[in-house]
Amino acid sequence: MLGLGAYRPRRVVPNSEIVDRIESSDEWIRTRSGIGARRWAEADETIVGMSTAAARQALTATGIDADQIDAVVLATSSQMVLGPSAAAVVATELGMHDTAAFDISAGCAGFCYALANAANLVRAGEARYVLVIGVERLSDLLDPTDRTCAFIFADGAGAVVVGAAESEGIGPVAWGSDGSQTAAIKQDKDFQQYFAEVAAAEASGGTSERPYIRMNGQAVFRWAVTFLEKACRDALDRAGVAVEDLDAFVPHQANSRITDALIRVLGVPDTVTVARDIAETGNTSAASIPLAMEELLRTGGAQQGDTALLLGFGAGLAYAGQVVRMPTIG
């Protein structure tokens, strides 16, 4: 990763704006998730707009021009249209021409999936530089009264430029999925069902609810704390790195209790900086890891070139992780 950029929506939403609708409290939210505030996008802060802003920062940090990018790989689960791909539109917004571009849908593991694909494109000689973007507008998919989700998910974008280097900067990926647990995090109805409900409501004079994200938090937590240790150790082993060799650990910012559990089972030493961006950013799914990397680099918690373990996990259920060298920021 040669350079990194980030976009955080303007609107900061503290817990106090959410608690009444879910009959909760600031203390309960902080205890359950570690979240004190999050960012929700305004109408003009679109998937494409946030992606483009983060990408421009990443290009600036890298010092290369947009026309040198050979592919754009964009990870998201909240693009509200099926086509064209957001990646293709972002490429055009950045002034690219005839550039390969495609979207990846792998939930909260999306950025690490996209990063693995980008690294392999460069290794194979299929691309000189690849722009990788993780972006979400999950506030569009939130039921504001849902006690399990309304306080967790948020919006934002992060981007990195991937290119060749003299030494390995993105280790082999450890990834996988378990489709038997799709009910743990899912959209509660498909759009065909939604359109049918809308038609029925119009005919009867009733109303219909749009599709929302639903989550079984306990199921996700059990899976995370029992399975993800293996995923982390696989990523470390494939890179030939011990946990003691790490400078930073950047897990998906899903829940501070999951992060704490992973630190314990992995035996992460105190010398390793652990990303805690969830406290002020919330869970931004595919944008979570690049935003957390940016926060560490911006605040001095990590430095360019540091060795870090990334781990994305969530809807699918899917996971992906790799050992990387931290990039520079724009």
Side-chain angles (χ1 to χ4, degrees):
M1 293 184 291
L2 304 177
L4 181 151
Y7 183 87
R8 298 172 190 270
R10 297 184 298 270
R11 182 184 172 202
V12 177
V13 182
N15 290 340
S16 58
E17 288 192 28
I18 296 173
V19 292
D20 289 344
R21 285 175 292 184
I22 61 173
E23 298 181 348
S24 184
S25 68
D26 176 73
E27 181 182 6
W28 185 86
I29 292 174
R30 290 177 185 271
T31 301
R32 298 280 296 182
S33 67
I35 298 172
R38 73 285 294 142
R39 302 288 185 107
W40 284 351
E42 302 283 6
D44 64 323
E45 294 173 307
T46 64
I47 291 284
V48 168
M50 292 190 293
S51 297
T52 302
R56 286 198 172 108
Q57 281 192 12
L59 289 168
T60 298
T62 308
I64 69 167
D65 296 327
D67 59 10
Q68 294 177 269
I69 298 292
D70 294 314
V72 179
V73 186
L74 185 148
T76 189
S77 296
S78 50
Q79 170 76 332
M80 300 297 278
V81 298
L82 296 178
S85 71
V89 181
V90 170
T92 297
E93 288 291 318
L94 292 169
M96 300 177 190
H97 303 282
D98 200 24
T99 301
F102 58 96
D103 294 353
I104 285 179
S105 177
C108 305
F111 178 81
C112 289
Y113 267 69
L115 187 63
N117 278 277
N120 287 334
L121 285 171
V122 174
R123 290 190 186 104
E126 296 292 335
R128 297 167 299 168
Y129 299 104
V130 181
L131 177 63
V132 177
I133 302 167
V135 58
E136 301 288 5
R137 263 187 65 118
L138 293 167
S139 58
D140 290 336
L141 295 167
L142 286 180
D143 176 352
T145 65
D146 185 345
R147 190 176 173 87
T148 68
C149 292
F151 65 93
I152 292 177
F153 294 107
D155 307 334
V160 297
V161 174
V162 174
E166 294 183 0
S167 59
E168 186 63 73
I170 301 173
V173 65
W175 54 2
S177 65
D178 183 358
S180 70
Q181 298 199 58
T182 55
I185 311 174
K186 64 181 293 186
Q187 183 174 305
D188 61 4
K189 65 184 75 171
D190 62 38
F191 283 99
Q192 186 174 11
Q193 177 185 354
Y194 172 60
F195 295 145
E197 290 180 1
V198 170
E202 289 177 347
S204 65
T207 60
S208 60
E209 279 199 342
R210 62 183 297 171
Y212 291 121
I213 300 172
R214 302 297 182 187
M215 181 174 67
N216 182 333
Q218 290 185 342
V220 174
F221 185 85
R222 286 195 300 268
W223 174 77
V225 300
T226 57
F227 184 81
L228 293 179
E229 177 188 1
K230 177 183 180 297
C232 289
R233 295 199 185 281
D234 283 350
L236 291 167
D237 290 345
R238 294 183 188 198
V241 172
V243 68
E244 294 81 9
D245 299 326
L246 295 173
D247 298 303
F249 178 36
V250 189
H252 163 50
Q253 302 295 287
N255 183 301
S256 61
R257 295 190 302 155
I258 292 176
T259 297
D260 291 340
L262 287 171
I263 291 169
R264 288 194 299 272
V265 298
L266 290 170
V268 176
D270 293 339
T271 54
V272 176
T273 301
V274 178
R276 300 282 187 178
D277 192 41
I278 191 171
E280 299 300 325
T281 303
N283 178 341
T284 55
S285 189
S288 164
I289 285 177
L291 287 175
M293 285 195 295
E294 187 271 342
E295 192 272 341
L296 283 182
L297 291 164
R298 174 169 43 82
T299 61
Q303 306 296 324
Q304 178 185 2
D306 279 357
T307 300
L309 172 63
L310 312 183
L311 181 69
F313 55 90
L317 292 171
Y319 70 90
Q322 55 265 95
V323 176
V324 303
R325 297 288 183 186
M326 293 287 275
T328 186
I329 56 174

